[in-house]
Amino acid sequence: MGVDNSLRLGHFRDNFRVEVVRLTEDDMEFDMIGIDASLANAFRRILLAELPTMAIEKVLIANNTSVIQDEVLAHRLGLIPLKVDPRMFEYMSENDVPNEKNTIVFKLHSCCERGSSRIKVLSNELQWLPRGSELTVSTEKPAVDPTSRPRTYTSFNCSQDSLPEFSNNPIGPKHDDIIIAKLGPGQEIELEAHAVKGMGKTHAKWSPVATSWYRMLPEVVLLQEIEGEIAEELVKKCPVKVFDIEDIGKGRKRATVARPRSCTLCRECIRPDGKEKEKEQRIYWDKYVALRRVKDHFIFTIESTGALPPEMLFTEAVKILEDKCERVITELS
């Protein structure tokens, strides 16, 4: 087909670059230029599934008289984004004891009094317990020492708010207005939620991004000069205003491609005129305009859930991709 799809290391090294287009608190748009589609997709999959975050995994329900079942309530709590740096915590295996280095504990107690109207239980009611669990483990054998501290579901050696990384930055939900449940008169929810470190490939609640996606840079080419009324008609055909009118003097106007990045490849600009026009008056726009894609230029968008800023997610994903490439090179050698 006359298209070179080979991947050459020297060409990639000399031409690859990243250009940041937009950066806000929660999202980032940038261009990856000079990269193969396989590497761009690998980067996207790393962002979705291989960057760790903290999410609620275990929910200990002391009382739930709401209409939401315990399992559904635990699932909703797990999907609440937490504002905490996961790099400060360790992974917890099945044999590990929950402690201040691998577990975050929250408490939720909300009650709707009888005779009052329905209330909403919001995420801002999740109270961080830096000293660990407050629920005691029920045992059949009585304690030998009555003065000893009751056994709970965690084993914290120190309070998390005494650690320098959390002393001025308390842990909590990223957004305070997420609805967890609605309670009617006389209904109550009392529970304890334990958050641990995990990855999106285990469960979507550990994915650090709301979405991460890319598209190839559109290339809109005018195959010939378009002037006069045809140029004005072309400008009107595009719903996202890719084309514009340029004054070339002496009362002449021609169409130009002003905003190719905005093109969604909807093909409206190359769609023939409808049957409302006579056959002799119809314009076949594919003779004037060609729509293409730049195969090595990707417009990337990262939308963070809030645990880490998008630029930090980008950096961490690059480190993981670099580590994967080094492992491949080691195995081949």
Side-chain angles (χ1 to χ4, degrees), residues 247-282:
D247 190 355
I248 56 178
K250 297 183 179 180
R252 296 171 56 198
K253 297 180 180 180
R254 68 180 178 187
T256 60
V257 181
R259 291 167 287 276
R261 189 184 184 89
S262 301
C263 180
T264 60
L265 299 176
C266 66
R267 303 176 64 86
E268 277 295 324
C269 59
I270 61 174
R271 205 180 304 277
D273 290 337
K275 295 182 180 180
E276 65 274 3
K277 289 188 177 181
E278 297 293 335
K279 189 173 182 180
E280 296 78 11
Q281 297 177 345
R282 292 177 191 168

Side-chain angles (χ1 to χ4, degrees), residues 58 60-61 92 96-99 103 105 132-139 150-156 192 194:
K58 181 187 294 185
L60 307 174
I61 298 179
M92 189 177 74
D96 289 338
V97 177
N99 56 53
T103 304
V105 181
S133 175
E134 293 180 351
L135 293 179
T136 58
V137 179
S138 58
T139 58
R151 184 183 168 211
T152 63
Y153 287 91
T154 59
S155 179
F156 281 27
E192 199 171 82
H194 296 193

Side-chain angles (χ1 to χ4, degrees), residues 16 30 76 108 127 130 133 169 173 198 213 216 219 240 242 270 274-276 289 298 300 302-303 310 317 319 329:
F16 175 70
F30 58 92
R76 290 180 64 84
L108 174 64
Q127 180 185 353
S133 175
N169 190 22
W213 59 280
M216 290 182 177
E219 184 179 13
V240 292
V242 170
I270 61 174
K275 295 182 180 180
E276 65 274 3
V289 182
F298 297 90
F300 232 104
I302 299 175
E303 293 183 8
K319 291 179 182 177
I329 293 172

Side-chain angles (χ1 to χ4, degrees), residues 299-312:
I299 302 173
F300 232 104
T301 304
I302 299 175
E303 293 183 8
S304 171
T305 57
L308 292 175
E311 65 271 21
M312 196 171 294

Side-chain angles (χ1 to χ4, degrees), residues 90-193:
E90 301 172 354
Y91 288 101
M92 189 177 74
S93 65
E94 295 180 357
N95 300 323
D96 289 338
V97 177
N99 56 53
E100 72 278 0
K101 296 181 180 179
N102 58 26
T103 304
I104 303 172
V105 181
F106 296 96
K107 179 176 71 173
L108 174 64
H109 189 193
S110 182
C111 179
C112 181
E113 300 293 338
R114 294 187 180 275
S116 61
S117 58
R118 293 171 60 88
I119 64 171
K120 296 178 181 179
V121 182
L122 302 178
S123 54
N124 60 1
E125 297 183 48
L126 281 170
Q127 180 185 353
W128 175 39
L129 301 179
R131 297 183 180 275
S133 175
E134 293 180 351
L135 293 179
T136 58
V137 179
S138 58
T139 58
E140 297 180 358
K141 297 181 180 180
V144 178
D145 184 5
T147 62
S148 62
R149 182 183 176 186
R151 184 183 168 211
T152 63
Y153 287 91
T154 59
S155 179
F156 281 27
N157 296 320
C158 66
S159 178
Q160 288 176 330
D161 57 3
S162 65
L163 302 176
E165 55 267 26
F166 304 126
S167 57
N168 297 323
N169 190 22
I171 300 172
K174 169 64 177 177
H175 306 285
D176 294 334
D177 56 351
I178 300 175
I179 298 177
I180 299 174
K182 292 183 179 180
L183 300 181
Q187 294 180 348
E188 181 181 5
I189 291 178
E190 183 180 4
L191 57 83
E192 199 171 82

